[in-house]
């Protein structure tokens, strides 16, 4: 249950304020050269503490690779174990909360399930866990990039500010279309986060992701569809409340006659002229860009007095301390890319690639 | 890959125009009395041919149970094998299409993956497969109903007509809130389907589903979250382009201070006073109603001349024959319920229930 | 739990005296031509009723393939569903036994696990189930034979009569060595079965199997070793009490200096000059013949009065009726071949073959 | 593939001469108090270097637990990550061998599979990996012991010296029977190891294991039988060439009339009066002791000149250096116990225990 994937498998462990985070990436093909600079670059994109807009916790997030590679960092085909030491855990921040359930957090449900929980920093439910995912995705990227496969995720909405249709370009012109970029919108989104922080509040967001270079034929009918695997992976991400790919929710209002992607003559330069479908048909990749949106809820912890019960249900107002992002999605794009790459890597192996 | 679930496992087979559909439901606890009337009732809700609004294919859809039950239909704990004979397959309808790839269908991708495909009726990619899922869900329901767990799915939008916020009542009043029902909206949705049919077109839709009676504690961190499992199952359903639960996409525009579900004093009568979160926190059920929306694309087959390539990419206009629903989502609610029940049943077993 | 394999997956159902046995073979590559004659030949080798030495139950054992193939019996890559109708079930034979637990049968344990059991013919615990496995293996053979992979299993010991070292030839001369055949030993073994039958008793046996043509590189460290997968599959077979491969139990008495397989110069014509190791090192195939022994216990049902308890533990002597083989292993060789082929097929897919 | 178990899952990593060994135990129930003294005691039983009879490599083998427990070492229900630093790796020992394939080692097969291998100390194929298994088993034991379940494994044969029938007592008197102990036999076995060492040779062995306290009802028909799961786990252990449980290979020579375990009147004090079957019928535990034998081949590395090929197949005589046990089975009993406990723990969870 702490494992993602079937043949390319990431298994993880770690509590937010425990000694270390870590995991095992099993199934990565042998002979892949790991470029630690590019691995570190992905991890750094996720790291906290770079600005006031994200949590003030400062972890160096330096991975230690314990197995699965030669001294020259060539993969052996054996499982790659890695750990990240937790160094900036301030458990004192949570002492007051340790006897309380925070609304819209996992405190109540972990205790309902296990009869016990690690209150410091949310324990296993903390977004600190995602450092493991980025590590897994960064390792997978070393292999996938050699196949011409890449993922790009961007924040495309914060609160009420954002791009109306992030994939319009890509759907219309799959070869050259890009995710949108507009200075005013980008600033507007940052302002929304800053506003929430000042207001002791938090704010939701949308992240958009596009996968390029995925060959046709990945994904399995009936219960292993590409979009099923992607959705399963993405819904694992803390705070994600929804997933759509291709036309997504707009499909519900559309007519069939306006939703068709016509084929190109001779399937060239791409099989389809447009990409309204989002890269998968019948659960199998078409070779066109795969793209999807994720919606994130606002960080549930806000720095205001909130009524919280103890384990007997006696409610008192408590103001949460601890270090939190006003907008969890700020650091999410690289995590989304990591999950997307791990998912595609798994589908590649299931389809017999990787030899 | 044709198997859903880990401990409650539905494995299926069948091509739309082959001899039979069928499957195996493995893991259903022993000692459950199967009420064939209620099983049949679910299957009938899915069945085609009941009105002009759905496909004119007429299958009796009578399941034959081949194993796993006593002569009195008490489950033995062993796998339940079942089949549905295909009796109204008109393969001639597809002869013209058998050398063509239909846009937004799985023809192209199946051939990309397997180098071969069954062109008659879409083969394995046909929605005919879902009769197996409803059978599985109907069997699971026999057990889950004894635990007080139920699923209710409804069509809540067709094209541009529908309910604006299907879960407003349930979120605000989890104990008594219901899915909306309004004669004018219901008629409006049916008209949209009828209009699409007359217009030789098709139309998208949204289905909304609520699960009640699910106990707290189901779902597993980190990669086995309740919402991940639900999303994976739902994205398996043909034509589904998106999934959201709880506040869903609205969460992206919201502030934290307006998204909190406060606890009830003494956790009574329910742990939370409201249910904006949609029944799961940290990936684990809270005991509150679980609710989610699915968006369906319009049926890709429309009865108009469409440019279609042969396997060499030579494009000609072809008018698809065959029998198709103008709105695939019309028959989807009971399928959604079936998938939801199978998912919850699996999580129950994973949590040690079922003994 | 009623599924064997990870990528080539056989899921089965059926009680001995229920309406039908059946299963789903999922993952067989597309484009394989199924030769029904050769499938039927394998099933016939398993079939009962051909002589007095095996059970007198007469089933035609004609498989009905319900999906996964074209009308010309070319595989589509989709799951192959199949059933065998049970036609010669004489449930009356078991009425007396239905309230009794037979020693060394699964009656007691099924009831301990499920609180209910199907007493007729042993229900799901009956060796009738193995018709499904042979069907699965026969389908897999259609693919594996095209790759030059074959399995051969033989009865090599019945009671105290048999070949002392069935693999001596193969170990010494991997290219040309064969399983032993000697008229006197073969007759001796048959006599042992006949003797047991006349004596209202039963007798144990050993089955030896060799796999040829398996390429090097199959099997996965650490917990997916080739011998682990083989042993798991083989220990599924009713009445099997032990598994050994290569030198097997003889290895316990041996010295290292007499157990080494030296390499051939230039790895030619085979990597190793001898095959004491039995075809796998470190859990991975070496390209040499894979061979193993299985030990079968005597059929637990014998036609003598035996003290048997009812569910309250009150013991009375009962003479079992029903039709039983005096030596279950008589029909086992083809079942062993089927399980071996399914296991190798799965490992091939896991290693990226099958595209 | 580096994961054992379905619900209680041990995933491991580590090369013999890499920075660390380690793993994740996922699924251990919450609320179990870990007694580090008893964990360490199990690990110490496996440790090398305690006498001349085992390898001279000296590792402190001190586990570091990185997650999944409170500061008081109570399990949280979340995955337990752990590592063992490798401190006494002498990679120089293998420099000569790094370009050679050792007979009956995994050198050749790893290279056949991955095209690359870690030559130092056998890399991932080294028995050093089993320190992870003992850690997993020791953690599982903390839970299982509270349920009254225990495992005991012993060396019962070395070369040609040993006990003729290690389970005779237990089969005849399941309540009080024990594994045999005789000073002369024990000394004889040690002498065999010493003799092999002096002779620059190695020797095979047998390990016998008995599990007590396992409740009836564990194990799943058809492909999840208790004996299948045990065999799969045990065949993962380096050098194991065979597995038998209950009467094992003796069953092949026996008659049915002499193999029956009769029931006790009123199922008291145990369901069966004797335990020839070895604790499982129909793949499901009977509540009687479960017992099995494993046969180990001699250590393939011996300190004599051996012809070894390089990767081109050019053969030269090389004398292996490095530190090796003359009898790998010497340290195996505690590893066998660990694997047995992990397997039973998994079956308990699959059967709904653990809540």
């Amino acid at each position: 249950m702490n494992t993602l994937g079937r043949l390319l498998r990431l298994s993880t462990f770690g509590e937010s304020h425990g000694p270390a985070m870590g995991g095992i990436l099993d199934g990565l093909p042998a002979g892949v050269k790991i470029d630690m600079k590019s691995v570190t670059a992905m991890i750094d994109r996720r790291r906290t503490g770079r600005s006031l807009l994200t949590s003030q916790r400062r972890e160096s997030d330096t991975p230690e690779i314990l197995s699965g590679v030669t001294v020259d960092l060539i993969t052996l085909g054996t499982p790659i174990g890695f750990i990240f030491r937790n160094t900036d855990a301030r458990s004192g921040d949570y002492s007051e909360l340790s006897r309380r359930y925070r609304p819209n957090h996992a405190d109540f449900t972990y205790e309902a399930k296990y009869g016990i929980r690690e209150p410091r920093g949310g324990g296993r439910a903390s977004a600190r866990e995602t450092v493991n995912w980025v590590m897994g995705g960064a390792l997978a990227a070393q292999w996938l990039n050699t196949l011409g496969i890449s993922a790009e995720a961007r924040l495309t909405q914060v609160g009420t500010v954002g791009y109306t249709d992030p994939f319009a370009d890509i759907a219309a012109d799959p070869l050259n279309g890009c995710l949108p970029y507009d200075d005013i919108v980008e600033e507007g989104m940052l302002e929304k986060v800053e506003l929430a922080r000042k207001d002791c509040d938090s704010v939701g967001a949308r992240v958009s992701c596009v996968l390029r270079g995925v060959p046709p034929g990945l994904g399995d009918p009936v219960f292993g569809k590409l979009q099923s695997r992607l959705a399963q992976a993405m819904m694992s991400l803390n705070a994600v409340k929804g997933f759509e790919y291709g036309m997504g929710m707009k499909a519900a209002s559309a007519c069939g006659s306006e939703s068709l992607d016509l084929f190109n003559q001779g399937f060239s330069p791409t099989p389809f002229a447009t990409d309204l479908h989002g890269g998968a048909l019948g659960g199998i990749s078409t070779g066109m860009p795969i793209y999807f949106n994720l919606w994130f809820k606002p960080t549930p912890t806000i720095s205001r007095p909130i009524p919280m019960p103890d384990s007997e249900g006696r409610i008192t107002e408590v103001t949460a301390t601890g270090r939190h992002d006003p907008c969890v999605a700020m650091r999410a794009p690289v995590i989304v890319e990591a999950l997307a790459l791990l998912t595609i890597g798994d589908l590649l192996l299931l389809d017999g690639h990787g030899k």
Side-chain angles (χ1 to χ4, degrees), chain A:
Chain A
M1 312 308 164
N2 291 277
T3 298
L4 180 73
R6 293 173 59 95
L7 294 188
L8 182 63
R9 297 149 55 89
L10 177 69
S11 300
T12 64
F13 64 82
E15 274 80 33
S16 177
H17 290 231
M21 311 306 295
I24 305 174
L25 184 67
D26 198 359
L28 197 66
V32 175
K33 169 75 185 160
I34 303 297
D35 172 15
M36 279 310 288
K37 257 192 206 161
S38 103
V39 169
T40 311
M42 269 189 84
I43 292 168
D44 281 350
R45 281 177 58 206
R46 179 202 161 277
R47 202 147 57 87
T48 58
R50 293 192 304 170
S51 82
L52 286 175
L53 300 180
T54 56
S55 158
Q56 293 306 298
R57 179 167 173 179
R58 287 168 199 283
E59 292 286 354
S60 67
D61 283 352
T62 310
E64 186 183 5
I65 293 183
L66 299 172
S67 68
V69 294
T70 65
V71 287
D72 307 319
L73 294 180
I74 312 285
T75 58
L76 289 162
T78 56
I80 302 175
F82 59 85
I83 57 171
F84 292 89
R85 295 279 168 187
N86 289 328
T87 54
D88 189 29
R90 296 196 204 147
S91 303
D93 286 350
Y94 295 92
S95 57
E96 174 62 30
L97 292 173
S98 71
R99 292 178 308 276
R100 300 273 155 200
Y101 299 153
R102 292 166 295 167
N104 290 39
H105 265 283
D107 304 340
F108 173 75
T109 52
Y110 268 64
E111 204 136 325
K113 185 173 195 74
Y114 299 115
I116 188 175
R117 76 188 155 104
E118 167 55 77
R120 299 172 299 156
R124 183 93 183 116
S126 162
R128 175 111 190 93
E129 154 74 6
T130 57
V131 73
N132 291 328
W133 309 0
V134 176
M135 180 67 181
L139 292 170
Q142 310 294 306
W143 169 44
L144 295 176
N145 291 348
T146 67
L147 305 175
I149 298 171
S150 65
E152 180 192 1
R154 298 259 316 282
L155 200 62
T156 55
Q157 182 187 332
V158 175
T160 49
V161 174
Y163 302 98
T164 46
D165 186 355
F167 301 121
D169 266 26
I170 293 167
D173 181 1
L175 268 184
N176 305 306
C178 289
L179 289 175
Y181 186 89
D182 180 288
D183 278 342
I184 293 170
V185 177
E186 297 287 323
E187 259 176 64
M189 293 193 292
L190 290 182
E191 264 167 39
K192 274 281 173 189
V193 182
E194 178 58 15
L195 213 66
R197 194 186 62 81
K198 281 188 180 153
D199 207 24
C200 295
D201 205 339
S202 61
V203 66
R206 180 184 62 196
V207 168
S208 304
C209 182
V210 58
L211 279 157
R212 295 173 205 274
V214 177
L218 300 195
D220 281 278
V222 171
F223 293 118
K225 290 193 165 84
L226 191 148
Q227 64 267 35
S228 286
R229 295 287 174 200
L230 268 183
Q232 179 191 6
M234 297 303 155
M235 297 301 295
S236 304
L237 185 39
N238 312 42
V240 171
K241 301 300 284 187
F243 168 93
E244 64 172 0
Y245 81 106
M247 287 185 74
M249 69 160 294
K250 282 183 305 178
S253 332
C255 287
S257 54
E258 64 200 27
S259 313
L260 295 183
D261 291 306
L262 297 186
F263 284 89
N264 278 321
Q265 190 82 27
F267 304 128
S268 175
T270 50
F272 297 88
T274 53
D275 187 16
L276 293 166
H277 64 276
L281 287 173
I284 301 171
S285 61
T286 58
M288 306 298 288
I290 297 164
Y291 58 83
F292 56 91
N293 279 321
L294 300 176
W295 297 294
F296 290 75
K297 71 175 183 185
T299 316
T301 308
I302 54 179
S303 306
R304 303 182 187 181
I306 301 281
M308 297 188 198
D310 60 16
S311 60
E312 264 72 49
R314 285 174 301 233
I315 293 177
T316 328
E317 288 217 332
V318 184
T319 302
T321 51
R323 297 154 294 176
H324 300 282
D325 297 351
C327 176
V328 283
M330 289 288 287
R331 296 192 276 141
V334 70
I335 307 169
V336 169
E337 292 172 13
L339 290 173
L341 292 171
L342 286 165
T343 302
I344 294 301
D346 192 38
L347 295 179
L348 280 166
L349 291 182
L350 284 165
D351 208 52
H353 299 253
K355 276 281 146 181

